[in-house]
Structure formats: structure tokens, C-alpha cells
Amino acid sequence: MNHPTMPKPSDRMLLIDGIPPTLIGYWNELLSFHEVLRMLVRRDLIVRFRQTYFGLAWLLFKPLMLMAVMSFAFGFLAGFDKNHSAPYPLVIFCGVIPWYFFSNAVPDSMNSLLNHIHIIQKTYFPRAIFPIAAVAVDAIEFFVAWMLFALGCLWFGYLPGWQIVFFPLFCLQLLFLCTALGLWLSVINVQFRDIGNLVPFLLTIGFFISPAGYTSMRIPDQWQLLYALNPLVGIIEGLRWSLLNGMDGFPQTPVILSLSITLAIGLIAVKHFLATEADLVDLA
Amino acid sequence: MSRVVVDIANLSKRYSLSHQHRPDSLKAWLRSLARRAASGKQPVDEEFWALRDVSLQIRQGECLALVGKNGSGKSTLLKILSRIIPPTSGHIKVSGRIASMLEVGTGFHPELTGRENVFLNGAMLGCPERKLRGRLDAIVDFSGVERFLDTPVKHYSSGMYVRLAYSIAAHVDADILVIDEVLAVGDSDFQERCILSIESLRQRGTTILFVSHNTDLVRRLATHVATLTQGRLDGGVLPGVARHESREPTHQ
């Protein structure tokens, strides 16, 4: 009797029938594979900075350069730096950092499924992990950049007001928006690779119709509503409001519009993702 | 009899050969929409059944070999079981955790070291990091890449790569291990060790499902053999030659 007794198989039951999962079922599935998410984020960070001389310093270097160039272009050259209650580089920083994050996270997560199709064809874990991980990696840069903002405040001797308690909420909305767009675009990108060309182009335009290098104060009144249909307008102006002592007053209309559009995109994205996920390999 | 851990019922998988249901660009999709609108009827589809009405049951501790010619649907079945593609109809009920090895070293990243890849690949196979830390010695031991554990795998020889990959899958404690033709790789020495490790996994109650064209391997490993012919399992499951020495589970 030297045979070890057989362990009882774990009680996990799985039914494979090709019917799309429910949101709750999928959420539980995601939680059970959260380690993969952590590993992918770690992998991307390691790969991004391995064999680089400056390593993690790149995380600080990029936002600093961006802020310097933008302040020069929009402040000094275009002369937008008048009539601001806060130092202009800080005003710019509040716009450029979320924009930079958005313009990286959306294409990164959009391409994440296609870039990992060789893994998707050979092993299973919830595919949403790829676009989420892509956003998470960029989000780390995003949060490091805000630490630079804190240093900038010290430098200029500037103190944010009570509105700062709303700062995390606007960040959360931006994260949600990027993830939603990433989920949605990534499945479309597997089937219709046209959007791989379209999105970077739209982002180039997006920079100019978002208040990244300027404030939305510059937009003529009759265009404000149309302008605010861009969900980034509400988020960026909300961030400015929360960090810069309620700068130009609370941007009520853009924030409400932006929240509604973000939620709508989230709903469509999740629905589309759940319906398509199982077929990804057949569609690719 | 031990309990059924994989229950495949009337499983079918259909592919359509025409591209009209599967447009690969926006243009093709729009064109097919226009054509459908103009003719007012669904396009006639040529279809291909990669699997047709396959039913089979696998009990705990069995080692089932799926055999058949190229294109007979073996890999399709493993892919459905591994949740990579959905079935067209029918279903599979699985109890326990599946780890699939359809390819050697899926998810290995060339820039990561062997050690980093162990944790990444292990997580993809559903094994938490905490558990892998405890297994690391055994994994490294079995693979024999000890000296190169902290070298990026892009510098590995293909043999080392394969050994490490197999070693991870063998140590993640899956209830069901799915292996597609990957035992054909590696030198004969390593193949021998793989066979022994599969034997011992099976005796500890792991259920194994593998595809192989190697009749020798099938003879040595399989307690059961299922032959697929053009997507059908007409002959059912036959007992294999390997001694079925697994024991009944002790739970009541």
C-alpha cells in the first residue's frame, strides 16, 4: 500500500458551453486570475526599464519635459499665460498629465489583445486582463507624474485648497474612461484592424480639442457645449478645479456631460466585450 | 469507479469556409452588408465541422490519449476544453482546475529571466505566486536550468526553454492537465523524465488528456485511447495498454 491516496479534486465546477458570461460571473473570474494581472504589469515595467541607463528616472523625466515644452509653446509663444490665478506651469501640468496618460493608455490597451494574440490562442484567462494591465502600466506613470506636481507646488509656493478632496474622483473617472475605451477598442481591433490606424490619428486631433495646453476659458461661449462633449474636457477642467483652488469656478456642465458620456461608453464597452470575448480567437 | 471530472456531451464545432460571416476588414464587412441588402437573402455558407457530436467522459486519474490524423479535430477539442475557442453546440462539464499546455512556454517573455517567467507562466496556468515560491526548487531541479535561472530566457537554448516550460506546467498542481503534442520536443533523456513525471502525476490523482502521434508514447502512458476521425468519435473510448493503477478517491 505505498500508493498515496488520491486527493479530492477541487470543487470548482466549470461549464463550457459557448454562452457569454454574466457580468458578475466574469468579475469573479477576473478576481480569481488577479495574479496574472499583477504579473503582466510587473513584466511590462521590467521590460520597459531593463537595459535602459536611466531606468526609473524616465518616469520623472517625461512629464517634466512635457510640462517645460508645453509651458513654452502655449505660455510663452502663444501668450496664453495671462489671467490665471495659479502659476501657468501648474495650470498646464493639470492638463498635460491627464492628456498624456489618456493618449498612451488608449492605444496601448487597444493594441493589447492583438499584441498578445499568440498567448490568447494558447491559454485561457479572462482576456480583459490584457487591456486592464495596459492601462495599469500607464497609470503608474500617471501617478508618479502627480508627485512631480506636488514638488511643483512647493517650488511655486502654491497651496491647493479644500477642493483637492475631489482629485481622486476625477482620476478614477479618467482611469475608468481609459479602461472602458481600451476594452471596447481592443476587441474591435482584433476583428477590424482599421481602427489601429484611425485611433492614433484621432488622438492627434484630440490634443487640440482638449484643454491640455490651454484652459477651456479660451473657447468662445457658443462653442462651449459642443466642446464639452469631449469627455476629457470635464475631467481635465475638474482636475484643475480640484487642484488649483477652484480656478475658474466649478465646471458644472462639462463635468456632468463627461460623467454621462463616460458611463455610456463604459456600458457599451462592457457589453460588447462580454459578447465578443469568447470568439476572439475565431475572429482574429 | 472514480468520479467523472470531464464530461463532454454532444460537442460540435463549426467553421464557415466563406468569409462572409467573418469579414476581416471594415471594407469586406460593409460590402457583405450591401450584398445582403441587395439580394435580400443570407449568403449560402460552406461549412466545415471540425468536431461533430463528440461525447466522452474522463474519470479522475485517467490518462486519455487523443489520437487521429492531422485535421481530425484533436486540437480543436483541446482548445475548446482549454476555453480558447467556444463550442458551436454541446457542452463540457469540468470539475477541478485545468492547466493547459498547448504549446511549450506560452507567455514566456524573452526579456524576462527564467525565474520571472516561472511566476508569470505559473500565474497564467492558474497557480498563485505564494504556491510557486514553494515549488521553485522542484521546478528548477526538474528543468535543470539552475545556473541560468536569473538569465533572460532569450539567451536560453531551445532545450532549456522547453524543459523549464514543461517543468512549470507539471508543478502547478492542476486537477486536469491538458497537453498537446508538446512531449515530442526535447531530447530522449528529457522525454523519459516527462513520461515518468506524467505517470507520477496521474498516480497522485491528476487527470491527463494528451494528443500525440507517437504510438510508443500512447502505449506507455494512456489508460484510455480515443480516436477521432474527421471530427467524429465513432469508435468511442478504448482502454489503453498502460496499467490503470489509480486508486479510488478516499472521500465518502
Side-chain angles (χ1 to χ4, degrees), chain A residues 4 20 25 33 35-36 60 63 75 79 85 95 103 107 113 116 119 125 132 144 190-192 216 236 246 262 272 282:
Chain A
F33 277 94
E35 290 241 350
V36 183
L60 297 174
S85 51
S103 65
L113 289 179
H116 292 101
I119 294 181
F125 47 84
I132 293 173
V144 170
V190 169
Q191 195 177 5
F192 303 112
S216 51
I236 291 177
T262 304
H272 188 81
D282 286 337

Side-chain angles (χ1 to χ4, degrees), chain A residues 240-252:
Chain A
R240 284 203 176 110
W241 172 81
S242 72
L243 288 177
L244 302 174
N245 268 312
M247 224 181 58
D248 304 322
F250 184 69
Q252 198 183 347

Side-chain angles (χ1 to χ4, degrees), chain A residues 3 6-7 10 12-16 29 35-36 38-39 42-43 50 122 124-125 194 278-279 282, chain B residues 13 22 26 60 82-84 86 91-92 94-96 106 111-112 116 123-124 129 175 204-205 247:
Chain A
H3 294 302
M6 244 187 252
S10 64
R12 213 181 117 136
M13 278 293 293
L14 172 69
L15 180 67
I16 301 168
E29 186 85 0
E35 290 241 350
V36 183
R38 202 158 54 82
M39 293 293 163
R42 193 200 278 176
R43 180 201 72 181
R50 185 160 284 172
K122 295 295 178 189
Y124 173 82
F125 47 84
D194 303 75
D279 293 314
D282 286 337
Chain B
K13 177 71 181 176
R22 245 198 69 182
L26 211 49
Q60 191 192 0
S82 311
R83 303 169 75 189
I84 287 159
H91 65 257
I92 307 180
V94 182
S95 47
T106 298
E111 295 287 345
L112 296 185
E116 288 160 347
M124 286 182 185
E129 186 177 0
D175 300 307
R204 275 183 276 147
R247 298 169 54 78

Side-chain angles (χ1 to χ4, degrees), chain B residues 1-246:
Chain B
M1 281 288 218
S2 43
R3 68 186 242 194
V4 173
V5 287
V6 178
D7 185 4
I8 302 176
N10 307 104
L11 201 71
S12 297
K13 177 71 181 176
R14 181 189 57 212
Y15 285 105
S16 83
L17 295 181
S18 78
H19 275 242
Q20 289 177 334
H21 277 331
R22 245 198 69 182
D24 43 19
S25 73
L26 211 49
K27 197 166 127 196
W29 181 65
L30 288 174
R31 204 187 284 153
S32 81
L33 268 189
R35 201 180 300 137
R36 215 172 301 177
S39 63
K41 58 183 179 208
Q42 291 285 317
V44 194
D45 240 346
E46 233 190 299
E47 48 188 38
F48 166 73
W49 291 86
L51 283 179
R52 196 83 204 237
D53 221 16
V54 171
S55 298
L56 84 111
Q57 294 186 328
I58 309 169
R59 292 173 184 278
Q60 191 192 0
E62 289 183 352
C63 181
L64 179 85
L66 272 177
V67 298
K69 293 191 180 121
N70 283 333
S72 59
K74 305 181 300 286
S75 293
T76 306
L77 182 55
L78 292 197
K79 276 187 187 163
I80 295 174
L81 183 59
S82 311
R83 303 169 75 189
I84 287 159
I85 52 176
T88 308
S89 64
H91 65 257
I92 307 180
K93 275 188 203 144
V94 182
S95 47
R97 212 161 50 78
I98 298 187
S100 289
M101 193 160 57
L102 301 190
E103 174 194 65
V104 175
T106 298
F108 267 34
H109 194 288
E111 295 287 345
L112 296 185
T113 65
R115 185 193 303 273
E116 288 160 347
N117 270 310
V118 168
F119 292 115
L120 176 63
N121 193 246
M124 286 182 185
L125 291 170
C127 189
E129 186 177 0
R130 156 179 60 72
K131 220 171 179 178
L132 282 166
R133 287 204 184 285
R135 298 287 155 79
L136 193 61
D137 286 341
I139 293 174
V140 174
D141 229 33
F142 188 88
S143 64
V145 298
E146 203 170 356
R147 275 181 59 208
F148 308 95
L149 194 58
D150 292 305
T151 308
V153 299
K154 63 180 174 185
H155 299 308
Y156 277 30
S157 73
S158 52
M160 286 156 65
Y161 194 90
V162 169
R163 293 204 301 269
L164 184 60
Y166 175 82
S167 186
I168 299 168
H171 287 90
V172 295
D173 254 358
D175 300 307
I176 300 151
L177 194 58
V178 175
I179 308 172
D180 188 3
E181 199 73 83
V182 290
L183 295 174
V185 292
D187 54 26
S188 57
D189 191 45
F190 182 68
Q191 271 188 32
E192 193 58 35
R193 278 199 289 156
C194 287
I195 292 171
L196 292 178
S197 90
I198 287 179
E199 271 297 302
S200 88
L201 281 173
R202 188 173 68 73
Q203 277 167 28
R204 275 183 276 147
T206 309
T207 309
I208 291 152
L209 189 64
F210 75 103
V211 160
S212 182
H213 289 292
N214 183 337
T215 45
D216 195 43
L217 201 64
V218 172
R219 198 171 304 131
R220 284 190 61 186
L221 279 177
T223 61
H224 295 77
V225 180
T227 310
L228 279 167
T229 319
Q230 295 181 354
R232 290 173 186 274
L233 190 66
D234 293 329
V237 179
L238 301 171
V241 196
R243 277 186 306 150
H244 192 321
E245 52 197 14
S246 56

